[in-house]
């Protein structure tokens, strides 16, 4: 296996002003970065539709925060603005199992995660990518179309996700929706299916409460799951990309590049 750096830079994200009394921490990812550097910050307001939060920061930390925006963004200090840096893509090639894909170059590999390969964002821990394959001894796939049309494959993908997320906790409820399914022929001549689903998880804040009014249901998480399916070597390959919905809105272009980069290849020998 080897990794090849692929220079594919995305446009910088929006500029957000900084001030001393109400520091705007920009995108969700930058908020996570600052939290790691400065600890927990009390949030005043978070309009999730825009992915922007406003937090109160002590005056003695304000200068440090402005400096952090300078180092993260590369803009000059007089501008006092933060721009999320462009993200490059690195290519991962597995010649032994026969697949390749690109992923954000700042993501880190996590071993022992259960998948054949697993990378995650170092700041947004719910954002990750993995590849899973069917067993070569028990599967005889000839084409991804063996799964049926894309819509039918999407139902199978969603059912698998919901099975994996089954919980024994009381009061847990999941809402799911298939957002899109598609089929395309890539530049390698193979057909790939793409499936996008949204899953929301709700849970009670007091699952042991006796009275219904004491069991307040709240949203635990809201995630986008993107799968790319391909067949080669008589095996079904699945690239899985998971990200919070609000992060997906910020990084959609990059994440779609990752999806489109997935390729399967014949294993020699």
């Amino acid at each position: 296996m080897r990794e090849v750096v692929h220079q594919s830079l995305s446009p910088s994200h929006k500029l957000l002003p900084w001030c001393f009394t109400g520091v705007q921490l920009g995108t969700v990812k930058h908020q996570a970065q600052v939290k790691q550097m400065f600890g927990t910050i009390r949030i005043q307001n978070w309009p999730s539709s825009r992915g922007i939060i406003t937090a109160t920061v002590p005056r003695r930390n304000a200068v440090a925060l402005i400096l952090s925006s300078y180092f993260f963004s590369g803009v000059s200090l007089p501008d006092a603005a933060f721009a999320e840096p462009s993200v490059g893509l690195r290519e991962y090639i597995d010649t032994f199992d026969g697949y390749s894909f690109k992923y954000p170059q700042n993501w880190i590999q996590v071993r022992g995660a259960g998948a054949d390969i697993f990378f995650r964002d170092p700041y947004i821990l719910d954002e990750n990518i993995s590849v899973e394959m069917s067993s070569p001894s028990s599967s005889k796939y000839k084409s991804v179309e063996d799964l049926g049309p894309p819509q039918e494959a999407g139902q199978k993908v969603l059912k698998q996700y919901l099975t994996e997320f089954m919980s024994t906790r009381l009061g847990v409820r999941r809402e799911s929706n298939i957002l899109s399914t598609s089929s395309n022929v890539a530049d390698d001549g193979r057909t790939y299916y793409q499936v996008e689903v949204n899953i929301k998880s709700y849970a009670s804040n007091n699952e042991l409460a006796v009275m219904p009014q004491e069991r307040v249901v709240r949203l635990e998480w809201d995630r986008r799951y993107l799968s790319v399916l391909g067949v080669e070597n008589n095996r079904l390959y699945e690239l899985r990309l998971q990200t919070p919905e609000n992060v997906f809105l910020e990084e959609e272009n990059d994440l779609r590049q990752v999806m489109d980069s997935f390729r399967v290849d014949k294993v020699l020998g």
Side-chain angles (χ1 to χ4, degrees), residues 146-179:
D146 291 346
L147 297 172
Q151 296 81 2
E152 185 177 334
Q155 293 289 345
K156 294 175 180 177
V157 169
L158 177 58
K159 181 179 179 180
Q160 181 62 33
Y161 276 127
L162 293 177
T163 299
E164 294 174 4
F165 296 145
M166 288 182 63
S167 175
T168 58
R169 291 182 297 150
L170 298 175
V172 173
R173 175 172 56 89
R174 302 276 158 74
E175 289 184 359
S176 60
N177 183 33
I178 297 178
L179 302 177

mmCIF file of all heavy atoms in Angstrom, residues 146-179:
data_model
loop_
_atom_site.group_PDB
_atom_site.id
_atom_site.type_symbol
_atom_site.label_atom_id
_atom_site.label_comp_id
_atom_site.label_asym_id
_atom_site.label_seq_id
_atom_site.Cartn_x
_atom_site.Cartn_y
_atom_site.Cartn_z
ATOM 1 N N ASP A 146 -25.740 -6.049 -9.501
ATOM 2 C CA ASP A 146 -26.251 -7.235 -8.810
ATOM 3 C C ASP A 146 -27.070 -6.846 -7.586
ATOM 4 O O ASP A 146 -27.871 -7.649 -7.083
ATOM 5 C CB ASP A 146 -25.108 -8.153 -8.384
ATOM 6 C CG ASP A 146 -24.413 -8.812 -9.569
ATOM 7 O OD1 ASP A 146 -24.980 -8.764 -10.684
ATOM 8 O OD2 ASP A 146 -23.318 -9.375 -9.384
ATOM 9 N N LEU A 147 -26.880 -5.627 -7.093
ATOM 10 C CA LEU A 147 -27.645 -5.137 -5.937
ATOM 11 C C LEU A 147 -29.043 -4.667 -6.331
ATOM 12 O O LEU A 147 -29.855 -4.363 -5.454
ATOM 13 C CB LEU A 147 -26.905 -3.972 -5.267
ATOM 14 C CG LEU A 147 -25.532 -4.274 -4.666
ATOM 15 C CD1 LEU A 147 -24.854 -2.986 -4.235
ATOM 16 C CD2 LEU A 147 -25.656 -5.233 -3.494
ATOM 17 N N GLY A 148 -29.313 -4.638 -7.627
ATOM 18 C CA GLY A 148 -30.564 -4.069 -8.111
ATOM 19 C C GLY A 148 -30.332 -2.647 -8.567
ATOM 20 O O GLY A 148 -29.193 -2.165 -8.634
ATOM 21 N N PRO A 149 -31.391 -1.910 -8.881
ATOM 22 C CA PRO A 149 -31.237 -0.503 -9.265
ATOM 23 C C PRO A 149 -30.742 0.327 -8.076
ATOM 24 O O PRO A 149 -30.792 -0.127 -6.921
ATOM 25 C CB PRO A 149 -32.646 -0.092 -9.689
ATOM 26 C CG PRO A 149 -33.555 -1.068 -9.006
ATOM 27 C CD PRO A 149 -32.802 -2.355 -8.917
ATOM 28 N N PRO A 150 -30.259 1.554 -8.317
ATOM 29 C CA PRO A 150 -29.731 2.380 -7.228
ATOM 30 C C PRO A 150 -30.705 2.577 -6.072
ATOM 31 O O PRO A 150 -30.289 2.591 -4.910
ATOM 32 C CB PRO A 150 -29.408 3.711 -7.923
ATOM 33 C CG PRO A 150 -29.153 3.343 -9.338
ATOM 34 C CD PRO A 150 -30.090 2.211 -9.637
ATOM 35 N N GLN A 151 -31.994 2.732 -6.365
ATOM 36 C CA GLN A 151 -32.967 2.946 -5.301
ATOM 37 C C GLN A 151 -33.031 1.731 -4.368
ATOM 38 O O GLN A 151 -33.117 1.878 -3.143
ATOM 39 C CB GLN A 151 -34.352 3.225 -5.901
ATOM 40 C CG GLN A 151 -34.436 4.506 -6.710
ATOM 41 C CD GLN A 151 -33.906 4.343 -8.132
ATOM 42 O OE1 GLN A 151 -33.498 3.244 -8.530
ATOM 43 N NE2 GLN A 151 -33.918 5.430 -8.883
ATOM 44 N N GLU A 152 -32.985 0.538 -4.945
ATOM 45 C CA GLU A 152 -33.013 -0.677 -4.133
ATOM 46 C C GLU A 152 -31.735 -0.819 -3.325
ATOM 47 O O GLU A 152 -31.761 -1.217 -2.161
ATOM 48 C CB GLU A 152 -33.207 -1.889 -5.049
ATOM 49 C CG GLU A 152 -33.375 -3.208 -4.306
ATOM 50 C CD GLU A 152 -33.650 -4.369 -5.250
ATOM 51 O OE1 GLU A 152 -34.180 -4.115 -6.355
ATOM 52 O OE2 GLU A 152 -33.329 -5.524 -4.882
ATOM 53 N N ALA A 153 -30.611 -0.482 -3.941
ATOM 54 C CA ALA A 153 -29.340 -0.517 -3.210
ATOM 55 C C ALA A 153 -29.359 0.487 -2.061
ATOM 56 O O ALA A 153 -28.827 0.215 -0.975
ATOM 57 C CB ALA A 153 -28.187 -0.215 -4.162
ATOM 58 N N GLY A 154 -29.994 1.644 -2.290
ATOM 59 C CA GLY A 154 -30.096 2.650 -1.228
ATOM 60 C C GLY A 154 -30.860 2.135 -0.030
ATOM 61 O O GLY A 154 -30.495 2.414 1.120
ATOM 62 N N GLN A 155 -31.921 1.398 -0.264
ATOM 63 C CA GLN A 155 -32.683 0.810 0.842
ATOM 64 C C GLN A 155 -31.823 -0.167 1.635
ATOM 65 O O GLN A 155 -31.895 -0.212 2.871
ATOM 66 C CB GLN A 155 -33.921 0.104 0.300
ATOM 67 C CG GLN A 155 -34.972 1.028 -0.310
ATOM 68 C CD GLN A 155 -35.690 1.862 0.734
ATOM 69 O OE1 GLN A 155 -35.627 1.579 1.932
ATOM 70 N NE2 GLN A 155 -36.389 2.896 0.278
ATOM 71 N N LYS A 156 -30.993 -0.934 0.952
ATOM 72 C CA LYS A 156 -30.116 -1.890 1.632
ATOM 73 C C LYS A 156 -29.058 -1.165 2.460
ATOM 74 O O LYS A 156 -28.732 -1.577 3.575
ATOM 75 C CB LYS A 156 -29.457 -2.816 0.614
ATOM 76 C CG LYS A 156 -30.437 -3.737 -0.106
ATOM 77 C CD LYS A 156 -29.745 -4.547 -1.194
ATOM 78 C CE LYS A 156 -30.739 -5.455 -1.910
ATOM 79 N NZ LYS A 156 -30.120 -6.216 -3.026
ATOM 80 N N VAL A 157 -28.518 -0.093 1.899
ATOM 81 C CA VAL A 157 -27.518 0.687 2.628
ATOM 82 C C VAL A 157 -28.122 1.287 3.889
ATOM 83 O O VAL A 157 -27.539 1.217 4.985
ATOM 84 C CB VAL A 157 -26.930 1.787 1.721
ATOM 85 C CG1 VAL A 157 -26.102 2.779 2.546
ATOM 86 C CG2 VAL A 157 -26.068 1.173 0.635
ATOM 87 N N LEU A 158 -29.309 1.881 3.766
ATOM 88 C CA LEU A 158 -29.963 2.486 4.924
ATOM 89 C C LEU A 158 -30.291 1.432 5.985
ATOM 90 O O LEU A 158 -30.083 1.661 7.182
ATOM 91 C CB LEU A 158 -31.230 3.201 4.488
ATOM 92 C CG LEU A 158 -32.064 3.834 5.607
ATOM 93 C CD1 LEU A 158 -31.240 4.834 6.402
ATOM 94 C CD2 LEU A 158 -33.320 4.496 5.039
ATOM 95 N N LYS A 159 -30.785 0.284 5.558
ATOM 96 C CA LYS A 159 -31.104 -0.779 6.504
ATOM 97 C C LYS A 159 -29.860 -1.227 7.268
ATOM 98 O O LYS A 159 -29.906 -1.468 8.480
ATOM 99 C CB LYS A 159 -31.714 -1.969 5.761
ATOM 100 C CG LYS A 159 -32.117 -3.126 6.669
ATOM 101 C CD LYS A 159 -32.743 -4.256 5.875
ATOM 102 C CE LYS A 159 -33.128 -5.422 6.793
ATOM 103 N NZ LYS A 159 -33.736 -6.544 6.028
ATOM 104 N N GLN A 160 -28.717 -1.295 6.577
ATOM 105 C CA GLN A 160 -27.478 -1.687 7.239
ATOM 106 C C GLN A 160 -27.056 -0.647 8.268
ATOM 107 O O GLN A 160 -26.642 -0.982 9.385
ATOM 108 C CB GLN A 160 -26.376 -1.880 6.201
ATOM 109 C CG GLN A 160 -25.035 -2.304 6.770
ATOM 110 C CD GLN A 160 -25.082 -3.646 7.475
ATOM 111 O OE1 GLN A 160 -25.846 -4.529 7.081
ATOM 112 N NE2 GLN A 160 -24.283 -3.800 8.520
ATOM 113 N N TYR A 161 -27.175 0.634 7.919
ATOM 114 C CA TYR A 161 -26.835 1.690 8.877
ATOM 115 C C TYR A 161 -27.723 1.595 10.120
ATOM 116 O O TYR A 161 -27.229 1.664 11.253
ATOM 117 C CB TYR A 161 -27.016 3.067 8.233
ATOM 118 C CG TYR A 161 -25.841 3.538 7.410
ATOM 119 C CD1 TYR A 161 -26.016 3.957 6.088
ATOM 120 C CD2 TYR A 161 -24.560 3.599 7.944
ATOM 121 C CE1 TYR A 161 -24.943 4.406 5.328
ATOM 122 C CE2 TYR A 161 -23.485 4.035 7.192
ATOM 123 C CZ TYR A 161 -23.691 4.437 5.883
ATOM 124 O OH TYR A 161 -22.624 4.878 5.140
ATOM 125 N N LEU A 162 -29.014 1.450 9.925
ATOM 126 C CA LEU A 162 -29.934 1.411 11.061
ATOM 127 C C LEU A 162 -29.685 0.181 11.934
ATOM 128 O O LEU A 162 -29.829 0.241 13.157
ATOM 129 C CB LEU A 162 -31.379 1.426 10.557
ATOM 130 C CG LEU A 162 -31.819 2.724 9.874
ATOM 131 C CD1 LEU A 162 -33.239 2.597 9.355
ATOM 132 C CD2 LEU A 162 -31.713 3.906 10.836
ATOM 133 N N THR A 163 -29.303 -0.929 11.313
ATOM 134 C CA THR A 163 -28.968 -2.129 12.090
ATOM 135 C C THR A 163 -27.751 -1.871 12.961
ATOM 136 O O THR A 163 -27.713 -2.252 14.137
ATOM 137 C CB THR A 163 -28.705 -3.315 11.151
ATOM 138 O OG1 THR A 163 -29.891 -3.588 10.388
ATOM 139 C CG2 THR A 163 -28.314 -4.556 11.934
ATOM 140 N N GLU A 164 -26.757 -1.208 12.409
ATOM 141 C CA GLU A 164 -25.536 -0.920 13.165
ATOM 142 C C GLU A 164 -25.796 0.057 14.304
ATOM 143 O O GLU A 164 -25.094 0.028 15.322
ATOM 144 C CB GLU A 164 -24.471 -0.357 12.225
ATOM 145 C CG GLU A 164 -23.993 -1.351 11.178
ATOM 146 C CD GLU A 164 -23.052 -0.718 10.168
ATOM 147 O OE1 GLU A 164 -22.713 0.479 10.344
ATOM 148 O OE2 GLU A 164 -22.657 -1.407 9.220
ATOM 149 N N PHE A 165 -26.784 0.935 14.140
ATOM 150 C CA PHE A 165 -27.055 1.951 15.152
ATOM 151 C C PHE A 165 -28.146 1.550 16.134
ATOM 152 O O PHE A 165 -28.615 2.384 16.919
ATOM 153 C CB PHE A 165 -27.454 3.273 14.477
ATOM 154 C CG PHE A 165 -26.360 3.863 13.643
ATOM 155 C CD1 PHE A 165 -26.650 4.555 12.474
ATOM 156 C CD2 PHE A 165 -25.036 3.722 14.013
ATOM 157 C CE1 PHE A 165 -25.654 5.093 11.694
ATOM 158 C CE2 PHE A 165 -24.025 4.245 13.240
ATOM 159 C CZ PHE A 165 -24.329 4.939 12.077
ATOM 160 N N MET A 166 -28.559 0.299 16.115
ATOM 161 C CA MET A 166 -29.569 -0.144 17.071
ATOM 162 C C MET A 166 -29.068 0.055 18.498
ATOM 163 O O MET A 166 -27.904 -0.212 18.801
ATOM 164 C CB MET A 166 -29.923 -1.612 16.839
ATOM 165 C CG MET A 166 -30.738 -1.870 15.576
ATOM 166 S SD MET A 166 -31.179 -3.613 15.371
ATOM 167 C CE MET A 166 -32.207 -3.856 16.833
ATOM 168 N N SER A 167 -29.945 0.536 19.373
ATOM 169 C CA SER A 167 -29.558 0.855 20.747
ATOM 170 C C SER A 167 -30.480 0.145 21.729
ATOM 171 O O SER A 167 -31.676 -0.035 21.475
ATOM 172 C CB SER A 167 -29.627 2.370 20.973
ATOM 173 O OG SER A 167 -29.365 2.690 22.320
ATOM 174 N N THR A 168 -29.895 -0.275 22.846
ATOM 175 C CA THR A 168 -30.679 -0.903 23.913
ATOM 176 C C THR A 168 -31.148 0.120 24.940
ATOM 177 O O THR A 168 -31.849 -0.233 25.888
ATOM 178 C CB THR A 168 -29.837 -1.979 24.621
ATOM 179 O OG1 THR A 168 -28.632 -1.380 25.143
ATOM 180 C CG2 THR A 168 -29.457 -3.089 23.645
ATOM 181 N N ARG A 169 -30.787 1.387 24.754
ATOM 182 C CA ARG A 169 -31.218 2.423 25.695
ATOM 183 C C ARG A 169 -32.704 2.693 25.539
ATOM 184 O O ARG A 169 -33.244 2.668 24.432
ATOM 185 C CB ARG A 169 -30.428 3.711 25.471
ATOM 186 C CG ARG A 169 -28.963 3.632 25.847
ATOM 187 C CD ARG A 169 -28.293 4.975 25.640
ATOM 188 N NE ARG A 169 -28.333 5.366 24.238
ATOM 189 C CZ ARG A 169 -28.380 6.619 23.813
ATOM 190 N NH1 ARG A 169 -28.432 7.616 24.695
ATOM 191 N NH2 ARG A 169 -28.393 6.900 22.519
ATOM 192 N N LEU A 170 -33.348 3.000 26.640
ATOM 193 C CA LEU A 170 -34.768 3.331 26.613
ATOM 194 C C LEU A 170 -34.969 4.717 26.017
ATOM 195 O O LEU A 170 -34.187 5.631 26.278
ATOM 196 C CB LEU A 170 -35.351 3.286 28.030
ATOM 197 C CG LEU A 170 -35.303 1.929 28.760
ATOM 198 C CD1 LEU A 170 -35.792 2.085 30.189
ATOM 199 C CD2 LEU A 170 -36.119 0.884 28.012
ATOM 200 N N GLY A 171 -36.021 4.857 25.252
ATOM 201 C CA GLY A 171 -36.386 6.173 24.743
ATOM 202 C C GLY A 171 -35.604 6.653 23.548
ATOM 203 O O GLY A 171 -35.750 7.806 23.139
ATOM 204 N N VAL A 172 -34.756 5.806 22.957
ATOM 205 C CA VAL A 172 -33.987 6.224 21.781
ATOM 206 C C VAL A 172 -34.840 6.029 20.536
ATOM 207 O O VAL A 172 -35.455 4.990 20.334
ATOM 208 C CB VAL A 172 -32.682 5.423 21.662
ATOM 209 C CG1 VAL A 172 -31.973 5.743 20.354
ATOM 210 C CG2 VAL A 172 -31.774 5.722 22.840
ATOM 211 N N ARG A 173 -34.859 7.048 19.696
ATOM 212 C CA ARG A 173 -35.631 6.999 18.461
ATOM 213 C C ARG A 173 -34.776 7.530 17.322
ATOM 214 O O ARG A 173 -34.075 8.525 17.465
ATOM 215 C CB ARG A 173 -36.904 7.847 18.600
ATOM 216 C CG ARG A 173 -37.730 7.958 17.337
ATOM 217 C CD ARG A 173 -39.074 8.644 17.634
ATOM 218 N NE ARG A 173 -38.899 9.945 18.259
ATOM 219 C CZ ARG A 173 -38.764 11.074 17.579
ATOM 220 N NH1 ARG A 173 -38.724 11.047 16.249
ATOM 221 N NH2 ARG A 173 -38.646 12.225 18.218
ATOM 222 N N ARG A 174 -34.825 6.833 16.194
ATOM 223 C CA ARG A 174 -34.060 7.242 15.031
ATOM 224 C C ARG A 174 -34.993 7.613 13.888
ATOM 225 O O ARG A 174 -35.978 6.916 13.623
ATOM 226 C CB ARG A 174 -33.125 6.104 14.574
ATOM 227 C CG ARG A 174 -32.147 5.656 15.666
ATOM 228 C CD ARG A 174 -30.924 6.527 15.722
ATOM 229 N NE ARG A 174 -30.225 6.493 16.985
ATOM 230 C CZ ARG A 174 -29.473 5.491 17.437
ATOM 231 N NH1 ARG A 174 -29.364 4.390 16.725
ATOM 232 N NH2 ARG A 174 -28.854 5.590 18.588
ATOM 233 N N GLU A 175 -34.686 8.712 13.231
ATOM 234 C CA GLU A 175 -35.409 9.124 12.033
ATOM 235 C C GLU A 175 -34.439 9.064 10.861
ATOM 236 O O GLU A 175 -33.316 9.560 10.962
ATOM 237 C CB GLU A 175 -35.961 10.542 12.175
ATOM 238 C CG GLU A 175 -37.111 10.669 13.153
ATOM 239 C CD GLU A 175 -37.678 12.073 13.184
ATOM 240 O OE1 GLU A 175 -37.150 12.945 12.440
ATOM 241 O OE2 GLU A 175 -38.632 12.314 13.939
ATOM 242 N N SER A 176 -34.857 8.459 9.774
ATOM 243 C CA SER A 176 -33.957 8.284 8.637
ATOM 244 C C SER A 176 -34.658 8.647 7.341
ATOM 245 O O SER A 176 -35.885 8.572 7.233
ATOM 246 C CB SER A 176 -33.454 6.831 8.574
ATOM 247 O OG SER A 176 -34.545 5.938 8.423
ATOM 248 N N ASN A 177 -33.851 9.030 6.358
ATOM 249 C CA ASN A 177 -34.398 9.446 5.077
ATOM 250 C C ASN A 177 -33.334 9.256 4.005
ATOM 251 O O ASN A 177 -32.179 9.657 4.189
ATOM 252 C CB ASN A 177 -34.829 10.916 5.133
ATOM 253 C CG ASN A 177 -35.473 11.368 3.843
ATOM 254 O OD1 ASN A 177 -36.145 10.597 3.163
ATOM 255 N ND2 ASN A 177 -35.261 12.623 3.503
ATOM 256 N N ILE A 178 -33.705 8.599 2.902
ATOM 257 C CA ILE A 178 -32.802 8.494 1.760
ATOM 258 C C ILE A 178 -32.900 9.790 0.968
ATOM 259 O O ILE A 178 -33.959 10.140 0.447
ATOM 260 C CB ILE A 178 -33.151 7.286 0.871
ATOM 261 C CG1 ILE A 178 -32.969 5.985 1.661
ATOM 262 C CG2 ILE A 178 -32.268 7.268 -0.370
ATOM 263 C CD1 ILE A 178 -33.345 4.744 0.871
ATOM 264 N N LEU A 179 -31.802 10.522 0.893
ATOM 265 C CA LEU A 179 -31.794 11.817 0.225
ATOM 266 C C LEU A 179 -31.619 11.686 -1.279
ATOM 267 O O LEU A 179 -32.235 12.424 -2.045
ATOM 268 C CB LEU A 179 -30.689 12.698 0.811
ATOM 269 C CG LEU A 179 -30.775 12.950 2.319
ATOM 270 C CD1 LEU A 179 -29.586 13.777 2.777
ATOM 271 C CD2 LEU A 179 -32.079 13.645 2.683
#
